[in-house]
């Protein structure tokens, strides 16, 4: 998730039970043309030694550029795989013909996969959606194209590009894709609880689950999912556990991006951590005006002092 899945966020998810994570989207063209040592790309590529296996997520539409970028990233030895994004619905991505716009161009998508496959000996995965819109749902033939071109793993989000993140993800359509290809398939879309995880696997027959928005402010979701699959109870974190995790996230973000930028970046994360708590709206408003780390700590201490254990 662009602007979210940096290493401080990924680290929390891994600590709470995520088996693997994926980097923020990396533009192949931007990566290749950025000046050496570019702060923007240094930030996108930064990882923590304590992370679970990480895949580098690339987007673009030029086969040669994507292959060159993939080869360089794979050559660093940092990544467990290369992930091609054919699913992003954002206008700034699709307007250039990248992301989910590639599901409208089978020939170009095939050339991209083949070009990257030639230079990446390790795992190559693709993120995709059900299609561009409701009139052009083409997930099954597109998945077959990906498999035939050499993709090792598919991650399918159960919405079309036109749906963005609205409505309900169509898990049954993901199941149709599962039955159409033999390579491993990861189901994605509307997994916000451990029960959702059980249900999406029941409906789709997928080999695994990708959690996105459900982990925002709730990295405990991964451990809850694993608990339920193990026949155990999904335990909700106490308010003080939420505080400890949120503050650890803040401290890592300060170490990563510096205090001033961390205070801005963490506003959205604290909003997610506080969601559903009594007094959350007032605390969020205070956080959004806060420009000092000590003041932020006082705001959070005051909020959580009323929440008990």
């Amino acid at each position: 998730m662009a602007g979210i899945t940096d290493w401080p966020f990924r680290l929390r998810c891994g600590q709470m039970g995520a088996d693997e994570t994926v980097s923020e989207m990396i533009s192949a063209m931007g990566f290749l043309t950025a000046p050496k040592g570019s702060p923007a790309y240094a930030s996108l590529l930064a990882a923590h030694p304590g992370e679970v296996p990480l895949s580098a997520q690339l987007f673009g539409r030029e086969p040669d550029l994507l292959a060159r970028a993939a080869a360089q990233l794979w050559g660093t030895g940092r990544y467990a795989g290369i992930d091609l994004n054919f699913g992003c619905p954002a206008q700034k991505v699709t307007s250039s013909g990248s992301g989910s716009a590639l599901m409208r161009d089978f020939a170009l998508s095939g050339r991209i996969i083949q070009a990257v496959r030639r230079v990446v000996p390790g795992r190559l995965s693709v993120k995709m959606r059900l299609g561009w819109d409701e009139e052009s749902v083409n997930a099954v033939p597109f998945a077959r194209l990906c498999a035939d071109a050499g993709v090792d793993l598919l991650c399918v989000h159960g919405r079309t590009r036109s749906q963005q993140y609205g409505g309900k993800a169509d898990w049954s359509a993901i199941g149709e894709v599962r039955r159409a290809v033999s390579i491993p398939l990861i189901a994605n879309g509307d997994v916000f609880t451990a029960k959702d995880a059980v249900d999406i696997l029941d409906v789709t027959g997928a080999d695994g689950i990708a959690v996105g928005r459900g982990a925002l402010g709730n990295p405990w979701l991964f451990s809850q999912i694993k608990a339920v699959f193990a026949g155990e109870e999904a335990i909700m974190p106490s308010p003080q556990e939420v505080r400890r995790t949120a503050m650890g996230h803040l401290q890592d973000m300060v170490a990563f991006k510096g205090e001033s930028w961390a205070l801005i970046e963490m506003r959205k994360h604290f909003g997610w951590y506080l969601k559903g708590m009594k007094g959350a709206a007032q605390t969020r408003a205070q956080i959004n005006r806060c420009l000092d780390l000590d003041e932020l700590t006082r705001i959070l201490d005051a909020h959580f002092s009323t929440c008990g254990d």
Side-chain angles (χ1 to χ4, degrees), residues 235-296:
I235 299 174
M236 304 299 292
S238 69
Q240 292 310 313
E241 172 62 16
V242 174
R243 181 195 179 281
R244 284 192 295 271
T245 300
M247 290 304 294
H249 192 165
L250 171 64
Q251 290 163 5
D252 281 343
M253 191 68 84
V254 170
F256 179 36
K257 295 190 174 180
E259 181 175 325
S260 297
W261 192 245
L263 288 171
I264 295 171
E265 284 282 294
M266 285 300 296
R267 288 172 179 172
K268 59 193 175 191
H269 288 286
F270 280 121
W272 292 320
Y273 280 121
L274 297 172
K275 186 176 181 181
M277 291 186 178
K278 184 178 180 180
Q282 180 180 353
T283 301
R284 283 198 305 270
Q286 293 176 319
I287 290 171
N288 289 340
R289 295 191 297 267
C290 177
L291 297 174
D292 177 81
L293 191 58
D294 290 337
E295 181 187 357
L296 176 58

Side-chain angles (χ1 to χ4, degrees), residues 65 126 139 163:
L65 295 183
V126 160
Q163 286 180 279

Side-chain angles (χ1 to χ4, degrees), residues 6-227:
D6 50 28
W7 74 253
F9 176 82
R10 298 192 308 257
L11 187 64
R12 312 262 97 63
C13 295
Q15 289 170 339
M16 300 297 179
D19 293 314
E20 297 189 22
T21 59
V22 182
S23 75
E24 295 183 66
M25 291 195 305
I26 302 164
S27 163
M29 179 181 290
F31 170 68
L32 292 170
T33 59
K36 187 175 181 180
S38 164
Y41 279 89
S43 177
L44 281 176
L45 299 174
H48 187 279
E51 289 193 64
V52 295
L54 170 67
S55 290
Q57 180 183 184
L58 281 170
F59 78 96
R61 60 171 282 109
E62 298 84 3
D64 178 61
L65 295 183
L66 282 157
R68 286 169 53 200
Q72 288 189 31
L73 291 170
W74 181 257
T76 66
R78 297 180 191 171
Y79 300 104
I82 298 295
D83 187 58
L84 297 175
N85 190 307
F86 292 171
C88 179
Q91 175 65 24
K92 65 181 180 181
V93 173
T94 59
S95 62
S96 66
S98 302
S100 55
L102 285 163
M103 293 192 69
R104 308 173 81 182
D105 192 333
F106 277 43
L108 178 57
S109 296
R111 291 197 299 274
I112 288 171
I113 295 168
Q114 290 166 357
V116 175
R117 178 76 284 173
R118 283 193 291 270
V119 299
V120 175
R123 189 179 68 193
L124 177 60
S125 58
V126 160
K127 281 190 176 69
M128 55 178 281
R129 287 195 163 221
L130 299 183
W132 180 256
D133 56 27
E134 287 65 33
E135 285 69 48
S136 57
V137 172
N138 59 0
V140 166
F142 192 82
R144 287 176 174 148
L145 166 77
C146 292
D148 291 344
V151 168
D152 300 306
L153 175 75
L154 286 174
C155 178
V156 183
H157 182 88
R159 289 181 174 87
T160 63
R161 185 268 174 184
S162 65
Q163 286 180 279
Q164 298 284 319
Y165 295 96
K168 183 79 174 71
D170 187 347
W171 294 347
S172 63
I174 300 176
E176 293 176 12
V177 179
R178 165 66 291 168
R179 292 186 290 274
V181 295
S182 59
I183 60 175
L185 183 142
I186 306 299
N188 173 240
D190 293 350
V191 177
F192 297 102
T193 68
K195 184 178 184 304
D196 291 336
V198 172
D199 291 344
I200 197 172
L201 287 190
D202 284 346
V203 172
T204 65
D207 302 282
I209 304 162
V211 176
R213 292 172 298 149
L216 300 179
N218 185 23
W220 300 273
L221 178 57
F222 297 101
S223 59
Q224 292 165 355
I225 289 171
K226 286 191 168 179

